[in-house]
Amino acid sequence: MKPTKQTPLNHLSLFYWQLQKWQKRPPNSRQFLSNLSSTTLTTSLKTNNKKLDVGSLSSINPRTAFKAYVETCISLLKTYLNQSWIKQGRTLHGHLIKTGISSDRYVAIKLLIMYLNCKRSDEVNEILREFGGFDLVAWNCMINAHIQNCNIEEARRIFDEMPERNEVSYSTLIAGFMRLGRVDESISYFEKNPFQDVVSWTTMISGFVQNGSNLEALKLFEKMLEFGIIPNAITFTCVVKTCIGLKDFGFGRCLLGLIVKYGLKSNLSVCNSLITLHLRMGDIESARKVFDQMEERDVVSWTAILDVYVEMGNLVEARRIFDEMPERNEVSWSAMIARYSQNGDAEEALKLFHLMVLDGYKPNISCFSIVLTALASLEALPLGTNIHGHLIKIGMEEDVFIGSSLIDMYCKCGKTEDGRRVFDSLSEKNVVCWNSMASGYSLNGKLEEARELFDRIPKKNTVSWNTMISGYVQNEQCDKVFEVFDEMLFSGGIPNGSTFSSVLRACASLASLEKGKNLHGKIIKLGIQYEVFMGTALTDMYAKSGDIESSRKVFNGMHEKNEISWTAMIQGLADNGFGEEALVLFEEIEKTSAMAPTVVTELIFLAVLFACSHCGLLEKGFRYFESMERVYGIKPRGKHYTCMVDLLARSGRLNEAEEFIKVMPFQPEVNAWAALLSGCSIYKNEDIAERTVKKLWELAEENSAGYVLLSNIYASAGRWTDVSKVRKLMREKRLKKIGGCSWIELRNEVHSFYCEDGCHSQSADIYAILELIHGSDE
DNA sequence: GTAGGGTTAG
């Protein structure tokens, strides 16, 4: 990657020029300062733990200045290392040799690490040859370098062969094993460690957090306090993270006390972690207060505060802060890109990604997975394939995060086989890879493949189960939903909100009140009945099952409602014939204008227009329709127009309805014509009916689903000869009608029957008995 | 030894 003008290389060119003179005579502070750009100076002073103020500027002596220069070179090497700019690193190495600085031991170690990480064994050996004997510090650095390079066995070899070890040697090796998830080996070295200092305890705690064992981490922290080891700032950052992971906010508050007790309230790292802790505890105010009161802030603080604004629902402000941040790195870029993607603005996410690359930042694994997710949501296959190629080139395609995102991307683009190819190519898969693949199959309607893969998942988690359950829900195989759900409970899987919302959806589509009530009980037992998702799903389930009273009760009891909850209630009321009440509810939203802009969406308008058309409220309907764009800035979509056609057709205004379709700004939905035809059959208007049928035939030609619809329309209009005509045509074209389904609920179990034979496990017996009944009839 | 960003279901 070619660095742009912002990269440190240009600051360095000033050095190269100055360096020749310094070779002969060390520079004095004035010369040093006058040849440094402020950025480089800040970096170098920072590494010397000095603050940049007037006092420190004037007190700088040549030796400090030169030391600062060496430090600067080291920090540059670090930058090159992080960005994998081996070319720049080598250029710098050349200059360091010329100026004799490469013989500085620390510089040499940094060079060594850089080459090790870039897997340049020639250069590594050359430097090692030059430095026949390394001391303890150097060996420790080597261990660290091998660990960074994921070569733990080499690190262990050095550790075992070292003439002496100190506390750093132990902590480094322990951290290395933790990084690779080899917790047992970490524990073993920790127990063998004769220097159990804060650092090694902290390493262990942090290791447990990395490996998802938050509880273990917390236990260790308590043990550490019992042993009388004084935690430091880094310990607290780890423990705070544990607390966030466990969502144990009672302990969070205890931690705040401990932090004050140990005098770390103003520590930079601690404050950085506290911003997120407060945010996760739902206390946006305190999160901001911590940030505002910080004496110094770094790039982590700025990145953390972005989320505070996102949490406030203010993405625009978050972006403004991002644009004006004093310092950015690849994490801050990734954070901003992720927020856009998660807010459904994948285009903006990708634009930002482009800017990031243009700015010379190297996207890391997280960043690529965010970007792949954004591409998946846009179904941007060519771009996705392009990135995949790039990932192979830089050797990142084996990572589980990347792999999962790639599988997801291909499957969301309908390329299940390509997804599978990625899946098969992963030598190490975690449960997410499996889940992505299973979900990819079910997304593309390949439920048998999904099930087969699902059964092979070594360690299923809640998401695995949810994937399978929601797959069956989406493909309307409700009996399978309950089957898998029972299996989940039986094998000890813990359902969460999204499990219930899927199963409730199955209840809703079966209108199975009994099962729904049963689930409601389980949900209350788990204490998640007040969560928005749950409340909404319950409201919907009761409404769809015809128990509008319970639906209302759940809805009114919800502590927090979102636009989907309101939509579910309004839709539910409208569906159950309480159109007037649905509209009253909508007007309630409109009156509380503070809520309106976030709650009123195109979906809610659909429910409202539906209510109008079912109550025959023609004028009201048109008023709402017209207010969509004028008041709320929502462009009506095809479905909204269809509702309006329905409204006109049901009111017998067939000519107006036909005219309405004609002047629509875009191609009407098939359903719009269907609504018109249904109006024609109510009001017996053969004239318009004929024209509409002609249109419907044209559309059916384009889209096989049109035939099904057409046959249904004819059926509901009682035009049976036309129905058989369509069916015959479908048979000729080998189009299969999506089977109708009926079901009964027996002893809390739903038995479904589809048009095709043999779907029920006992269908042979059932048919035999039917035969018997028929026989006895005659 | 650290804090900020990350994959799958809804």
Side-chain angles (χ1 to χ4, degrees), chain A residues 136-151:
Chain A
L136 187 54
V137 179
W139 286 118
N140 285 341
C141 286
M142 286 287 291
I143 292 177
N144 193 26
H146 282 299
I147 286 168
Q148 299 291 324
N149 218 2
C150 289
N151 193 350

Side-chain angles (χ1 to χ4, degrees), chain A residues 412-478:
Chain A
K412 290 226 168 92
C413 295
K415 298 281 179 192
T416 334
E417 274 143 43
D418 290 327
R420 181 60 193 244
R421 222 163 286 147
V422 174
F423 177 80
D424 287 333
S425 76
L426 296 173
S427 50
E428 269 179 51
K429 303 176 182 72
N430 65 9
V431 67
V432 183
C433 309
W434 286 90
N435 293 348
S436 303
M437 195 61 238
S439 117
Y441 277 133
S442 87
L443 206 71
N444 290 290
K446 304 188 173 183
L447 278 166
E448 275 158 35
E449 283 97 330
R451 180 70 212 222
E452 201 187 313
L453 197 93
F454 171 80
D455 286 334
R456 283 174 45 213
I457 300 180
K459 268 182 107 178
K460 297 182 184 68
N461 64 9
T462 302
V463 178
S464 324
W465 291 101
N466 290 353
T467 303
M468 212 53 238
I469 290 173
S470 83
Y472 283 128
V473 171
Q474 265 146 24
N475 289 275
E476 293 179 343
Q477 301 191 21
C478 295

Side-chain angles (χ1 to χ4, degrees), chain A residues 90 93 111-112 115-116 118-130:
Chain A
R90 236 197 248 141
H93 187 185
L111 283 166
L112 202 61
Y115 287 125
L116 263 173
C118 302
K119 302 192 166 73
R120 307 277 171 162
S121 44
D122 289 352
E123 283 93 339
V124 170
N125 290 332
E126 195 182 310
I127 294 172
L128 278 176
R129 257 201 310 280
E130 203 177 322

Side-chain angles (χ1 to χ4, degrees), chain A residues 3 118 186 196 252 279 353 421 454 512 645 654 659 680 736:
Chain A
C118 302
S186 291
Q196 290 199 353
L279 194 63
F353 175 67
R421 222 163 286 147
F454 171 80
S512 172
V645 174
L654 300 173
E659 193 53 33
C680 293
K736 206 170 168 197

Side-chain angles (χ1 to χ4, degrees), chain A residues 65-107:
Chain A
F66 192 73
K67 204 176 155 221
Y69 169 64
V70 174
E71 296 283 359
T72 308
C73 292
I74 288 175
S75 85
L76 277 173
L77 282 172
K78 265 196 210 158
T79 312
Y80 298 153
L81 179 65
N82 291 337
Q83 304 278 323
S84 299
W85 289 342
I86 181 68
K87 229 173 131 186
Q88 282 85 343
R90 236 197 248 141
T91 316
L92 182 56
H93 187 185
H95 281 279
L96 291 170
I97 290 171
K98 257 192 240 160
T99 53
I101 293 172
S102 68
S103 57
D104 180 284
R105 211 180 79 240
Y106 286 99
V107 173

Side-chain angles (χ1 to χ4, degrees), chain A residues 287-495:
Chain A
R288 266 215 57 168
K289 218 164 117 192
V290 171
F291 180 81
D292 289 341
Q293 289 175 354
M294 281 167 81
E295 285 165 14
E296 56 168 335
R297 303 180 187 105
D298 64 1
V299 62
V300 179
S301 338
W302 285 100
T303 310
I305 201 72
L306 286 181
D307 264 358
V308 174
Y309 284 93
V310 173
E311 197 58 39
M312 284 160 67
N314 200 340
L315 198 62
V316 178
E317 183 66 15
R319 175 59 183 268
R320 203 184 59 80
I321 290 170
F322 175 78
D323 286 337
E324 291 170 10
M325 267 160 73
E327 193 187 338
R328 272 180 243 163
N329 60 13
E330 60 278 16
V331 180
S332 11
W333 280 94
S334 305
M336 199 64 234
I337 294 170
R339 293 301 164 256
Y340 275 117
S341 174
Q342 284 152 359
N343 270 275
D345 195 347
E347 284 100 342
E348 191 59 38
L350 291 174
K351 263 189 218 158
L352 210 59
F353 175 67
H354 189 67
L355 281 179
M356 171 183 181
V357 176
L358 282 182
D359 245 13
Y361 287 90
K362 248 185 92 131
N364 56 17
I365 288 171
S366 307
C367 194
F368 275 120
S369 44
I370 299 163
V371 167
L372 283 170
T373 309
L375 289 171
S377 72
L378 293 173
E379 295 179 25
L381 185 63
L383 259 171
T385 316
N386 204 331
I387 299 249
H388 186 186
H390 179 71
L391 288 166
I392 293 173
K393 216 159 73 188
I394 60 175
M396 268 192 192
E397 85 280 15
E398 279 270 340
D399 179 83
V400 283
F401 279 85
I402 300 274
S404 308
S405 307
L406 279 172
I407 294 167
D408 183 51
M409 188 274 295
Y410 280 118
C411 292
K412 290 226 168 92
C413 295
K415 298 281 179 192
T416 334
E417 274 143 43
D418 290 327
R420 181 60 193 244
R421 222 163 286 147
V422 174
F423 177 80
D424 287 333
S425 76
L426 296 173
S427 50
E428 269 179 51
K429 303 176 182 72
N430 65 9
V431 67
V432 183
C433 309
W434 286 90
N435 293 348
S436 303
M437 195 61 238
S439 117
Y441 277 133
S442 87
L443 206 71
N444 290 290
K446 304 188 173 183
L447 278 166
E448 275 158 35
E449 283 97 330
R451 180 70 212 222
E452 201 187 313
L453 197 93
F454 171 80
D455 286 334
R456 283 174 45 213
I457 300 180
K459 268 182 107 178
K460 297 182 184 68
N461 64 9
T462 302
V463 178
S464 324
W465 291 101
N466 290 353
T467 303
M468 212 53 238
I469 290 173
S470 83
Y472 283 128
V473 171
Q474 265 146 24
N475 289 275
E476 293 179 343
Q477 301 191 21
C478 295
D479 48 340
K480 289 269 177 36
V481 171
F482 296 109
E483 222 176 272
V484 180
F485 182 60
D486 287 341
E487 211 180 308
M488 174 183 188
L489 297 180
F490 188 71
S491 63
I494 312 281

Side-chain angles (χ1 to χ4, degrees), chain A residues 205-253:
Chain A
I205 293 173
S206 142
F208 278 126
V209 178
Q210 276 172 43
N211 287 289
S213 316
N214 283 312
L215 218 55
E216 291 298 320
L218 211 56
K219 275 189 206 151
L220 207 66
F221 177 64
E222 279 166 4
K223 211 162 148 196
M224 171 180 173
L225 293 180
E226 277 170 30
F227 270 59
I229 312 263
I230 310 288
N232 63 16
I234 297 178
T235 319
F236 277 112
T237 56
C238 297
V239 181
V240 166
K241 198 175 182 180
T242 309
C243 198
I244 293 170
L246 287 171
K247 294 188 182 154
D248 185 349
F249 299 135
F251 185 68
R253 270 175 269 278

Side-chain angles (χ1 to χ4, degrees), chain A residues 513 563 627 705:
Chain A
L513 195 56
E563 68 275 14
S627 77

